[in-house]
Amino acid sequence: DIQMTQSPSSLSVSVGDRVTITCRASQGITSSLAWFQQKPGKAPKSLIYHASSLQSGVPSKFSGSGSGTDFTLTISSLQPEDFATYYCQQYNSYPLTFGGGTKVEIK
Amino acid sequence: EGQLVESGGGLVQPGGSLRLSCTASGFTFSDHYMDWVRQAPGKGLEWVGRVRNKANDYTTEYAASVKGRFTISRDDSKTSLYLQMSNLKTEDTAVYYCVRVTASFFFDYWGQGTLVTVSS
């Protein structure tokens, strides 16, 4: 199975800050990497697919990059509605696997 | 825009069975692969399995943790996805989400989830 390792597991930031979350795959997954946002008590929301493509309706303050084994999610100028937990996921091979999540909290 | 609505969750004893349903609307259900993803209380996301479309013979894939106990099926005439769970264990306690898979194999739409609690 491909292991997905996210870092950090949590971070405290201020409104307006730029946030970068990293995700590392235990083996190469080309660009088959997605990012999701989840708020407490809610279903996950799809943000990014193919490592860097925004899902329809997702604001451009979210961006993704990387290929192979190393990926990043960047949120420019964090707003109150962006405080949530973020997950990466590989869909290159079965079983599909998720990272452990990064909780973004208000400082 | 597509919508997915899960139902069928509840309390079940260890060793018991339960069937979850997911009803889709707003898109051509029959074209898409469909997945189940679960989330134990306070934990991260775990992929459960997939059913492909008719063009791919409705074949399935499962996570090792549920293989042999869970069965994913679909009824395209009812635009519905199912998860038959048997021999349930306490570690199967989770919110179960159905998810649409795009033609390029990434997820887009998620349902709101249904809670399954396995406890005596």
Side-chain angles (χ1 to χ4, degrees), chain A residues 50-74:
Chain A
H50 291 346
S52 60
S53 297
L54 287 183
Q55 289 271 3
S56 175
V58 173
S60 59
K61 62 181 171 181
F62 293 95
S63 63
S65 65
S67 67
T69 60
D70 294 310
F71 302 88
T72 61
L73 171 69
T74 300

Side-chain angles (χ1 to χ4, degrees), chain B residues 78-94:
Chain B
K78 297 181 179 178
T79 67
S80 292
L81 173 72
Y82 304 103
L83 180 64
Q84 178 68 48
M85 303 182 291
S86 61
N87 190 19
L88 282 160
K89 306 175 181 181
T90 55
E91 54 263 40
D92 295 318
T93 294

